[in-house]
Amino acid sequence: MFEQDYIMRQIKECVAVAMKLLFGLEAETPASMEFQNKEKRDLSDRLIREIDDGNIKNAISDMYLNTLDKTKDDLILGLMVYTHLCEKDDDFLDLNSTSISEIKESAKEFFSQFGLSSVSDLILFD
């Protein structure tokens, strides 16, 4: 349990570092950032609902499929998804057949795709 909490805090820290480095923001969550693309904002809302409904793996998969262009909005979308996942407790994740290690590996891959692997390697070390 303590290890899982630690990993979730690590993921939150990666999000915070990415926001500070790329956008100059010291916010706890990317939710305050504005999407330039309305479709991405709508997608973000849909993915958050999907996570809340327990379809975590599907939401992550959809996120990856919709962030192929590597735009600012794509990065914000991923940061929002991982921030939201970090707010879920262990029981919710267990109930929906998702492990902390799966989320961690997915987050590392996402950060790597945006050229932020050094940030995730530094914070999400094994």
Side-chain angles (χ1 to χ4, degrees), residues 99-118:
S99 71
I100 300 296
S101 62
E102 288 174 303
I103 294 172
K104 178 181 176 179
E105 289 307 311
S106 175
K108 286 175 80 169
E109 176 65 26
F110 180 80
F111 280 100
S112 176
Q113 289 182 2
F114 280 86
L116 297 168
S117 58
S118 59

Side-chain angles (χ1 to χ4, degrees), residues 36-94:
Q36 294 177 357
N37 181 319
K38 182 190 178 320
E39 293 168 357
K40 292 292 182 182
R41 183 178 56 242
D42 293 344
L43 175 62
S44 172
D45 293 343
R46 184 175 61 79
L47 293 176
I48 297 301
R49 281 192 308 274
E50 203 167 351
I51 290 168
D52 290 343
D53 290 343
N55 300 316
I56 297 169
K57 292 177 183 173
N58 193 50
I60 291 173
S61 178
D62 284 352
M63 178 200 64
Y64 273 102
L65 289 173
N66 286 284
T67 58
L68 297 174
D69 294 332
K70 309 295 181 259
T71 65
K72 177 182 174 183
D73 281 349
D74 292 342
L75 178 59
I76 293 169
L77 177 69
L79 295 176
M80 291 183 86
V81 165
Y82 287 110
T83 298
H84 192 69
L85 282 170
C86 288
E87 295 169 352
K88 299 301 178 190
D89 63 24
D90 298 338
D91 293 335
F92 179 83
L93 297 175
D94 288 343

